[in-house]
Amino acid sequence: MASELCKTISEAKLEKHKNLFLNYRNLHHFPLELLKDEGLQYLERLYMKRNSLTTLPENLAQKLPNLVELYLHSNNIVVVPEAIGSLVKLQFLDLSDNALEIVCPEIGRLRSLRHLRLANNQLKYLPAEYHQCIHVSLLLSFLILSVQMVSVSSWLDVTQQECYQSKQDLSFTYTGECAQLIYCIECF
């Protein structure tokens, strides 16, 4: 399996692939081959879903500077490194179905980020810095407590706020300066 992984990554480097699929590889560590040399600077989409990753490398942004989409759902990621905030072109980040309890505030520096998926983690709150990601379509999954409700509503600088509650989901509709955004928080 390791030689197949190396072959896949080497091919992607040589052929300057924009997409790299490393799903379902039972990876326990982020492949070092991805971070060697400068061969993957063209990579825009990295798919690493359904592995067993627990961490991400600190130099991810340095080695993969053109990432636009990063799919890391269904791993065992506990911590997202601060360096994630340096992926300036990142528009889509899927961290759903991991073991996150907190998410680093540096994600708030991702000005290009449009979609952030955090469903099915053990999140307790969102850092205040997330208000900087005003354009993000955010899907979360965690138990909502009154403290978290305050945390979420103060997270964005909003002019109007409507709240609807149905069986298992709670939707917030925010009308801000830029556009009307809908944030869904799924409870379990």
Side-chain angles (χ1 to χ4, degrees):
M1 174 94 119
S3 63
E4 180 186 331
L5 177 66
C6 289
K7 181 181 174 190
T8 301
I9 294 171
S10 293
E11 229 173 72
K13 285 180 179 183
L14 287 172
E15 298 175 10
K16 298 181 182 176
H17 288 190
K18 291 188 178 208
N19 302 310
L20 183 57
F21 297 90
L22 300 177
N23 302 321
Y24 303 97
R25 302 270 183 147
N26 198 30
L27 300 173
H28 294 279
H29 302 286
F30 201 87
L32 294 177
E33 294 82 5
L34 276 176
L35 307 173
K36 287 182 181 174
D37 309 319
E38 301 300 320
L40 287 171
Q41 69 268 23
Y42 299 103
L43 195 65
E44 293 179 1
R45 287 169 203 83
L46 179 57
Y47 300 85
M48 296 186 75
K49 67 181 183 180
R50 298 207 182 263
N51 283 293
S52 297
L53 300 174
T54 55
T55 60
L56 298 174
E58 285 291 336
N59 62 347
L60 183 66
Q62 292 171 329
K63 295 298 183 175
L64 304 174
N66 291 308
L67 276 184
V68 175
E69 298 177 12
L70 182 56
Y71 297 89
L72 297 166
H73 70 83
S74 302
N75 278 285
N76 297 313
I77 298 171
V78 177
V79 176
V80 177
E82 295 174 4
I84 195 100
S86 299
L87 286 168
V88 296
K89 295 182 180 183
L90 198 64
Q91 295 177 20
F92 187 97
L93 177 59
D94 189 352
L95 289 165
S96 58
D97 295 302
N98 277 286
L100 295 172
E101 288 185 13
I102 60 168
V103 182
C104 65
E106 286 73 17
I107 288 180
R109 293 193 322 228
L110 298 172
R111 303 284 185 220
S112 298
L113 193 64
R114 297 294 178 262
H115 302 282
L116 173 61
R117 292 194 177 156
L118 298 170
N120 298 321
N121 280 288
Q122 285 80 45
L123 294 175
K124 305 283 188 262
Y125 65 91
L126 293 174
E129 289 82 358
Y130 278 33
H131 75 281
Q132 296 169 8
C133 292
I134 190 75
H135 300 290
V136 174
S137 165
L138 178 61
L139 300 175
L140 301 175
S141 190
F142 58 89
L143 262 176
I144 297 179
L145 303 170
S146 58
V147 173
Q148 291 164 331
M149 290 282 281
V150 171
S151 161
V152 170
S153 53
S154 65
W155 172 58
L156 291 171
D157 184 16
V158 295
T159 55
Q160 288 182 326
Q161 180 176 178
E162 292 177 62
C163 221
Y164 305 97
Q165 188 167 4
S166 63
K167 286 182 188 175
Q168 294 223 339
D169 66 88
L170 179 61
S171 299
F172 294 93
T173 304
Y174 295 108
T175 306
E177 295 175 20
C178 301
Q180 188 171 16
L181 305 172
I182 297 174
Y183 295 85
C184 299
I185 298 174
E186 302 168 359
C187 299
F188 56 86

